[in-house]
Amino acid sequence: AQTVTQSQPEMSVQEAETVTLSCTYDTSESDYYLFWYKQPPSRQMILVIRQEAYKQQNATENRFSVNFQKAAKSFSLKISDSQLGDAAMYFCAYRITGGAQKLVFGQGTRLTINP
Amino acid sequence: DTGVSQDPRHKITKRGQNVTFRCDPISEHNRLYWYRQTLGQGPEFLTYFQNEAQLEKSRLLSDRFSAERPKGSFSTLEIQRTEQGDSAMYLCASSFQRENLNEQFFGPGTRLTVL
């Protein structure tokens, strides 16, 4: 069974600084996708960034980038120049490419931005 | 607003009552997912539809739970004889299946409290 583990229940960072959220996963599949989702308080979950497992190049979306280490099954999210609006729960998620393509989520990391 | 909508946003019920939630997906999306999120945890997959067909159900979905998606449009999730353990956020997501690209867009969720 696929599992996703986020070992940091809470993280905090000073505004404008950089923070890295960790995620590891377990799978026997070779083709899959990894995601980071953001869930602000009382608001809906939105996709932050996506990584396709067959691509060696790490994905980047503006201030958000990932460090994808396929052999280590590690997928961390780096947020640069942190902003107050980045405060949220962040979930790492995995899915295979076929079938239901259901998402398997980690437990989440609560990110606090200190002004 | 053309995003995923869910109704109601909050539901408080007494143990043993039946409840029904509704999800309206993005109009052209052919896949619809239900997830359950308990406090402090990541969402867990419950079931999914491709058009009107329910193609997979999680073992979390006991026989007290039933989901429908008539005509492949909106979906309902009914819980019969609610239990306190059913208290959670119920999230709906929709996507348009195109090759392996299947970004799921989430609704705001229905928060269920069973007293």
Side-chain angles (χ1 to χ4, degrees):
Chain A
Q2 296 92 5
T3 58
V4 177
T5 302
Q6 293 178 249
S7 59
Q8 306 155 315
E10 296 183 358
M11 292 281 285
S12 62
V13 64
Q14 290 295 125
E15 193 175 2
E17 296 294 307
T18 295
V19 64
T20 298
L21 308 184
S22 301
C23 173
T24 58
Y25 60 95
D26 188 23
T27 183
S28 57
E29 302 286 336
S30 59
D31 197 11
Y32 51 88
Y33 287 81
L34 295 162
F35 306 85
W36 280 97
Y37 279 88
K38 172 184 177 181
Q39 188 177 41
S42 302
R43 294 180 60 188
Q44 59 211 79
M45 195 163 329
I46 57 173
L47 179 65
V48 174
I49 198 165
R50 167 178 51 224
Q51 175 77 42
E52 294 155 77
Y54 66 89
K55 289 188 177 178
Q56 292 186 333
Q57 186 172 6
N58 288 324
T60 299
E61 289 287 341
N62 301 313
R63 298 183 294 108
F64 299 87
S65 61
V66 298
N67 183 6
F68 173 48
Q69 301 289 328
K70 191 172 184 179
K73 296 180 181 174
S74 170
F75 182 62
S76 60
L77 174 69
K78 185 171 82 172
I79 306 174
S80 303
D81 185 27
S82 298
Q83 301 175 0
L84 294 178
D86 295 334
M89 283 291 290
Y90 284 82
F91 291 98
C92 178
Y94 156 101
R95 71 162 175 85
I96 61 173
T97 55
Q101 299 187 352
K102 59 195 173 190
L103 292 165
V104 177
F105 287 89
Q107 305 92 320
T109 296
R110 182 175 303 281
L111 178 64
T112 302
I113 312 295
N114 300 313
Chain B
D1 189 293
T2 56
V4 179
S5 61
Q6 293 187 245
D7 184 69
R9 294 291 304 275
H10 303 272
K11 179 72 177 178
I12 299 174
T13 191
K14 293 182 179 179
R15 189 176 51 186
Q17 298 294 304
N18 299 344
V19 294
T20 300
F21 310 140
R22 177 180 171 122
C23 170
D24 286 274
I26 294 171
S27 60
E28 67 268 24
H29 284 185
N30 56 352
R31 286 196 171 196
L32 187 146
Y33 298 80
W34 286 99
Y35 294 86
R36 182 171 71 185
Q37 184 178 18
T38 53
L39 203 60
Q41 299 296 317
E44 295 174 290
F45 169 79
L46 291 178
T47 188
Y48 103 100
F49 293 83
Q50 173 124 355
N51 300 310
E52 67 276 6
Q54 187 176 17
L55 296 184
E56 186 169 331
K57 294 193 288 187
S58 161
R59 280 172 285 184
L60 291 175
L61 213 66
S62 76
D63 55 9
R64 296 185 298 106
F65 288 70
S66 63
E68 295 182 341
R69 192 183 181 198
K71 302 178 183 177
S73 56
F74 70 93
S75 176
T76 58
L77 178 67
E78 180 184 16
I79 309 174
Q80 296 182 326
R81 305 180 304 280
T82 52
E83 302 173 354
Q84 288 184 327
D86 297 331
S87 295
M89 177 77 86
Y90 290 84
L91 298 172
C92 176
S94 71
S95 69
F96 181 68
Q97 173 64 17
R98 180 172 56 232
E99 298 176 351
N100 285 322
L101 185 65
N102 182 27
E103 181 179 342
Q104 294 181 29
F105 293 82
F106 283 82
T110 294
R111 182 170 296 284
L112 172 66
T113 302
V114 182
L115 302 176

